Amino acid sequence: MPDTAALDAKLARNIGRHAEKTFDWDAFPGNRGFDSLRRAQMRYIGGGGSPKVNDPATLPAGAFTFSLVWKPPGNFAAAHTHEVVEHFMILSGVLTVGWVWGDEVIEARLGPGDMVLNDVGRPHGFRNDGVEPVLMQITVGSGKPLPPIYLSHPSKDPEDFAARFGATTPEKVTRLDPSSDDPRHRDLAAHVVRRRDLSPVVDPAGFTRRTYIGTALGATEPENYRLDVIDLAAGKGVKPYARSVEEALFVQEGELAVSWQDDGVTVERVLGARDLLLTPPDRMHAFRNPGPNSVRFSMVVGEPGPETVAFVAA
């Protein structure tokens, strides 16, 4: 006889509740002592770019990590590099991202729903020039990424531009021009995804999908995961399905009912805004919209390439 309580407990353990988590203002040791570098991290899966990979409050990472970062107005992150591709998706506020070439910087501003893929080894920094905090979703395609390597930092150079992104003077900073013939502009433009430019695709199961990572965008995409943003209308849902890899569902807006199935037993929980469910490989599961309004959620899948599941409307 299947154990409903045991299955429900397993499902509950794989949910990260936003209201039960706290933002960690000491997630990045290199920021200590520099108020202008302060940012807070909320970890859901693994440590992300933080060395706190063994945080017992987070879900274990496999092909990818998942965290939120909160950046106050006026603060920045100094130029650094990673050994893996990472993405920033903006949930609220406006973020300025700068990519560095020598002593020159090209900057792009990202609004809600926009994303940048920071390429392997490409020096980059970011800052909040706005009047409201920036909240962004960050995923790294490694369970335990190496610490970032800083090219510029206030501890090395107190000058504003040098400490931020590596530019020697304000004249060395250029705003991104996607129509430019400059290969540096073309490179950054290929790694910026604007929500307004993504054509929504209606899945046969009745939801709308925008693919951010997983198709040829002209950018170097992560080797370990794909990313879609799903809009699901009230009353809609899908029948149970399984993957051979892990899958994370993160609610951006609204409510999402998620269920697991085992030996004919089904258990269900409701995710609110900024809650996350991590489903392991081979687990039958489903989702539906139980509320009166549309729900929007990120779907991160632990393999690259196009979607492999043929969803069926419930």
Side-chain angles (χ1 to χ4, degrees):
M1 186 73 177
D3 189 335
T4 302
L7 181 61
D8 184 63
K10 288 181 180 179
L11 172 58
R13 286 195 296 270
N14 277 267
I15 293 175
R17 296 285 187 189
H18 180 74
E20 297 172 1
K21 291 181 171 290
T22 57
F23 276 102
D24 181 1
W25 287 94
D26 192 38
F28 306 97
N31 296 346
R32 291 172 184 164
F34 301 96
D35 288 344
S36 59
L37 297 182
R38 294 185 76 236
R39 64 184 184 270
Q41 182 193 43
M42 180 176 285
R43 294 179 289 277
Y44 288 82
I45 303 173
S50 167
K52 298 183 178 182
V53 296
N54 296 318
D55 181 354
T58 68
L59 297 163
F64 56 85
T65 67
F66 191 103
S67 63
L68 299 181
V69 166
W70 178 269
K71 195 70 173 173
N75 285 22
F76 69 96
H80 60 279
T81 64
H82 298 285
E83 89 288 2
V84 293
V85 177
E86 67 173 353
H87 85 252
F88 303 159
M89 175 178 283
I90 310 306
L91 301 179
S92 61
V94 176
L95 186 75
T96 299
V97 175
W99 276 25
V100 182
W101 280 268
D103 66 346
E104 297 186 53
V105 177
I106 297 175
E107 296 183 348
R109 288 190 175 179
L110 309 176
D114 294 342
M115 183 193 77
V116 62
L117 278 167
N118 293 305
D119 206 353
V120 175
R122 169 53 56 200
H124 62 280
F126 56 89
R127 69 175 183 271
N128 182 354
D129 292 329
V131 297
E132 63 177 317
V134 169
L135 181 67
M136 56 183 167
Q137 158 190 320
I138 296 182
T139 298
V140 178
S142 169
K144 292 184 178 181
L146 296 175
I149 298 174
Y150 285 95
L151 279 74
S152 60
H153 195 275
S155 63
K156 299 179 181 179
D157 190 339
E159 293 298 323
D160 188 40
F161 278 88
R164 287 175 178 238
F165 297 160
T168 53
T169 66
E171 290 73 24
K172 293 286 188 177
V173 180
T174 307
R175 182 68 61 84
L176 174 65
D177 178 4
S179 64
S180 172
D181 292 331
D182 188 323
R184 300 171 301 176
H185 282 263
R186 293 203 303 270
D187 190 13
L188 177 53
H191 289 76
V192 170
V193 180
R194 305 285 186 188
R195 179 177 172 84
R196 63 176 181 262
D197 295 334
L198 289 178
S199 299
V201 175
V202 178
D203 191 274
F207 59 81
T208 300
R209 175 200 306 272
R210 284 176 171 85
T211 297
Y212 282 76
I213 300 172
T215 58
L217 298 174
T220 302
E221 296 191 343
E223 297 179 351
N224 295 337
Y225 68 94
R226 58 172 285 114
L227 168 67
D228 292 310
V229 174
I230 308 294
D231 287 285
L232 183 65
K236 299 292 185 178
V238 301
K239 291 184 177 180
Y241 64 97
R243 298 185 185 275
S244 61
V245 296
E246 70 267 44
E247 173 197 271
L249 303 180
F250 173 77
V251 179
Q252 296 186 14
E253 303 171 12
E255 292 185 338
L256 184 70
V258 291
S259 59
W260 280 9
Q261 199 176 80
D262 188 19
D263 291 335
V265 169
T266 300
V267 294
E268 184 178 75
R269 297 268 179 149
V270 175
L271 305 181
R274 300 177 189 169
D275 290 346
L276 176 144
L277 169 67
L278 178 63
T279 297
D282 304 318
R283 167 67 67 191
M284 292 294 293
H285 61 294
F287 57 81
R288 66 183 182 88
N289 183 350
N293 302 312
S294 178
V295 59
R296 176 172 297 170
F297 58 96
S298 302
M299 176 183 285
V300 188
V301 179
E303 63 181 355
E307 180 61 83
T308 59
V309 173
F311 293 96
V312 178

